[in-house]
Amino acid sequence: MSRTQKTVVVLVALAALIAGLIVNQALNGKARFNPEALTAAGIILLPQSRALPEVGMTDQDGQPVNLAQLTGKWSLVFFGYTYCPDICPTTLAQLREVKRQLPEQALERLQVVLVSVDPERDTATQLKQYLAYFDKNFIGLRGSIGDTQTLANALSIPFIPADTRKPGYTVDHSGNLALIGPDGRQRGFVRAPFSTQKLVERLPDLLEHD
């Protein structure tokens, strides 16, 4: 067999292999996501998922919320507060832009949740008005400082409660996001500061999975 013939055979075999992979992917319905690509986008997956603690929260409409209700969709959970001067408005604006650029199928499987680390000032009304400025579908949660710390520590995104006796106080908190799966368990983090474009590129790979 000549070198040209061998080359043709190799190319035909390679084409058949690629075609087989495409057919297999189509038959299986979904491609597996690439953890390395997710990590490069700041999305860190846990080796094992974590259960969320049972804590009492209310939403921006003043309705009680059980964290077990955070199911059926992937959730990006951010700990912040409405009087935050920098990290919070920047992060929420980025998340609004991420949602704006995601394909519709991915968007339907994602929700953004802000958990207030300043329940003293973040009333339900305050949360609702603030979040509506960014996205009316963003969810706001507030609870006691004790319950909020329990949740933040369980998700490994701790914050330092402020001295609320000081006027104009600020709250030290992380810019990381907790990643909650459709089963209501923590699957990982999104590391701050994150790239809007990289999240837009990589989140759909993750959101198609359960």
Side-chain angles (χ1 to χ4, degrees):
M1 183 180 293
S2 68
R3 178 176 299 178
T4 301
Q5 289 174 318
K6 289 180 180 179
T7 301
V8 171
V9 169
V10 170
L11 290 176
V12 169
L14 182 59
L17 175 61
I18 293 173
L21 290 173
I22 292 173
V23 170
N24 182 64
Q25 177 176 316
L27 291 174
N28 289 329
K30 296 176 181 177
R32 288 185 56 81
F33 57 81
N34 185 332
E36 290 76 18
L38 294 179
T39 300
I43 303 172
I44 312 301
L45 299 182
L46 296 173
Q48 293 184 328
S49 63
R50 299 175 181 171
L52 274 60
E54 295 183 6
V55 294
M57 295 277 169
T58 56
D59 64 17
Q60 71 269 33
D61 294 316
Q63 299 300 311
V65 173
N66 186 322
L67 294 182
Q69 294 175 242
L70 295 181
T71 57
K73 293 185 177 184
W74 287 86
S75 301
L76 291 175
V77 180
F78 176 58
F79 288 83
Y81 63 113
T82 65
Y83 288 84
C84 179
D86 40 38
I87 296 176
C88 299
T90 299
T91 300
L92 292 172
Q94 281 186 280
L95 291 174
R96 174 182 60 194
E97 185 62 20
V98 167
K99 286 188 63 180
R100 191 185 71 81
Q101 295 187 42
L102 283 176
E104 185 176 352
Q105 185 175 0
L107 189 58
E108 291 174 350
R109 293 179 56 81
L110 178 68
Q111 58 190 359
V112 174
V113 181
L114 170 68
V115 179
S116 173
V117 296
D118 183 21
E120 180 77 17
R121 293 180 295 190
D122 285 347
T123 63
T125 299
Q126 175 70 11
L127 276 174
K128 188 168 187 174
Q129 291 177 344
Y130 182 76
L131 291 175
Y133 174 77
F134 298 97
D135 187 314
K136 63 182 179 62
N137 292 317
F138 282 179
I139 299 170
L141 300 180
R142 64 185 297 274
S144 69
I145 281 293
D147 278 350
T148 305
Q149 277 198 299
T150 296
L151 177 59
N153 291 338
L155 297 177
S156 297
I157 307 183
F159 67 96
I160 302 175
D163 183 352
T164 58
R165 297 169 299 179
K166 296 180 179 179
Y169 63 84
T170 57
V171 185
D172 291 329
H173 65 95
S174 172
N176 291 343
L177 311 177
L179 184 64
I180 311 299
D183 57 358
R185 296 175 65 88
Q186 185 183 14
R187 301 291 190 85
F189 308 88
V190 177
R191 186 175 51 211
F194 56 83
S195 162
T196 299
Q197 193 54 47
K198 286 182 179 180
L199 282 188
V200 169
E201 292 171 357
R202 295 304 174 190
L203 273 178
D205 298 340
L206 180 66
L207 297 178
E208 69 176 9
H209 292 79
D210 292 329

